[in-house]
Amino acid sequence: MTLADAATAVQRRDLPLYETMLRIRAFEETALELQRRGKVPGALHPATGHEAIAAGVCARLGPADHVVSYYRCHGHALACGLDPAAMFAELLGRATGLNKGKGGSMHLADRSHRFLGGNSIVGANVGIAAGMAAALRIRKEPGAVVVFFGDGAVGAGVVLETLRIAAHQRLPLLFVCENNGYQDRTRSELVSGIAPGAVAAGLGVPSVSVDGNDVRAVAGTAAELLPLVRDERTARFLDASTYLRDFHCQFGPEPPGEYRPLDEVRQWRARDPLSRADFDLTEPRRRAAEEMRLAAAHALTQPEPSPGTVCDDLTVARW
């Protein structure tokens, strides 16, 4: 094999990972533009900069695996194959959205893709994922559950309890911590001096650290961990270091001011996950931008939900 052949083989193997990241970046940038135009009701949590974690982990999912996300869920949803037009319609509160316009940005879900949804309550999604993992184990069904969350969630009681339970009950659960170093606008090191992976290991769940801005490294690590989780019914923790390109959250048309040191922002932007490609991404980037432009334009033409449907699709718990 010549060097040119080897380079082509690498591009053919890795290009889908970069295409997924480009689609996530294009979706988020389009969503932020819609937010600035006042089209998105409620809060928007962009995942720009986090793309490599969603793309790398979800590329290694099996057909029986499930995913549970958190409020920063757009990238995970796209990486799981959800329809961007339906996602935009949900962000815009339209009747053809994934949840008929009633969930919004933080509650995207589509069971047909085994994507069990985002959740606006910090850490609550981790307990839900454990319930799904317990169901798989009890029913003796194949597959694993992957749950994404931020490093701020590791201080939540439900996460600490779930780690302990997952270790003790050997739940097929992969914890994926998107460790961006901040908890909302507060540095994580001011809240806890213990790394998320060390917390997990201390509670009995083995942890692996990875450069969360390197999609090849993330995909390779997920390929090692997921078979252990599926086949040996044993929980694992992936501590992926990353950084947000934008900011934690945006309400309304005015973006929030920068709350981080500018030299820190510049250093991390120089490590942008999309800058790691050693092949030309010009055409994939153009395709991704056009796909998201058309998806958003379609969503903007969709109707709002009828007020008469406000109580439809509710699940009532019986006690």
Side-chain angles (χ1 to χ4, degrees):
M1 178 182 291
T2 67
L3 286 177
D5 291 339
T8 301
V10 168
Q11 179 176 351
R12 188 178 299 118
R13 182 195 64 197
D14 293 340
L15 182 57
L17 296 173
Y18 285 90
E19 288 177 327
T20 300
M21 289 198 294
L22 286 166
R23 293 179 74 238
I24 295 171
R25 179 68 59 86
F27 183 95
E28 296 291 46
E29 290 179 342
T30 304
L32 285 168
E33 175 59 23
L34 291 170
Q35 179 76 298
R36 284 191 285 270
R37 291 166 54 192
K39 300 293 186 182
V40 180
L44 188 74
H45 297 79
T48 47
H50 283 208
E51 295 92 346
I53 303 172
V57 172
C58 294
R60 299 300 177 253
L61 293 174
D65 294 340
H66 295 72
V67 170
V68 181
S69 185
Y70 62 121
Y71 50 81
R72 203 179 307 284
C73 60
H74 308 163
H76 311 132
L78 278 173
C80 286
L82 272 63
D83 175 19
M87 290 171 57
F88 276 124
E90 188 60 38
L91 266 62
L92 296 168
R94 305 306 171 102
T96 56
L98 286 171
N99 307 113
K100 302 182 181 179
K102 299 174 184 175
S105 166
M106 294 188 280
H107 300 99
L108 303 180
D110 187 344
R111 291 187 181 182
S112 69
H113 287 84
R114 299 182 187 277
F115 186 77
L116 304 184
N119 195 299
S120 60
I121 301 174
V122 175
N125 60 320
V126 177
I128 293 169
M132 185 67 218
L136 292 179
R137 186 178 63 79
I138 292 168
R139 296 172 180 168
K140 301 186 185 308
E141 295 179 359
V145 179
V146 174
V147 60
F148 293 96
F149 53 93
D151 46 319
V154 179
V158 63
V159 177
L160 301 175
E161 293 172 8
T162 301
L163 284 164
R164 189 69 193 97
I165 292 169
H168 181 68
Q169 298 193 2
R170 299 184 66 82
L171 299 183
L173 182 55
L174 177 61
F175 298 84
V176 181
C177 179
E178 298 186 336
N179 186 352
N180 64 29
Y182 281 83
Q183 304 186 15
D184 201 324
R185 299 188 178 199
T186 303
R187 281 183 179 278
S188 291
E189 64 191 24
L190 298 178
V191 179
S192 172
I194 306 175
V199 172
L203 292 169
V205 178
S207 174
V208 175
S209 298
V210 69
D211 180 351
N213 280 19
D214 184 341
V215 70
R216 292 161 171 151
V218 175
T221 306
E224 294 174 2
L225 295 179
L226 278 168
L228 296 174
V229 175
R230 288 189 203 103
D231 303 335
E232 298 183 16
R233 296 306 206 204
T234 175
R236 287 290 187 274
F237 193 99
L238 180 59
D239 187 353
S241 57
T242 187
Y243 200 77
L244 281 171
R245 279 185 66 86
D246 290 281
F247 33 75
H248 172 69
C249 175
Q250 180 173 341
F251 282 97
E254 294 298 326
E258 181 55 71
Y259 50 89
R260 303 164 296 188
L262 290 181
D263 58 341
E264 177 183 288
V265 174
R266 292 193 190 100
Q267 288 174 15
W268 275 96
R269 286 199 169 199
R271 297 180 54 199
D272 188 282
L274 286 167
S275 68
R276 304 290 184 93
D278 45 16
F279 43 84
D280 186 11
L281 292 177
T282 303
E283 180 55 24
R285 191 186 301 273
R286 187 200 65 76
R287 287 199 304 269
E290 180 64 4
E291 177 191 11
M292 298 309 162
R293 185 188 70 78
L294 292 174
H298 175 75
L300 284 167
T301 67
Q302 299 304 294
E304 296 181 349
S306 167
T309 66
V310 68
C311 292
D312 293 352
D313 310 306
L314 298 179
T315 299
V316 179
R318 299 183 183 279
W319 303 94

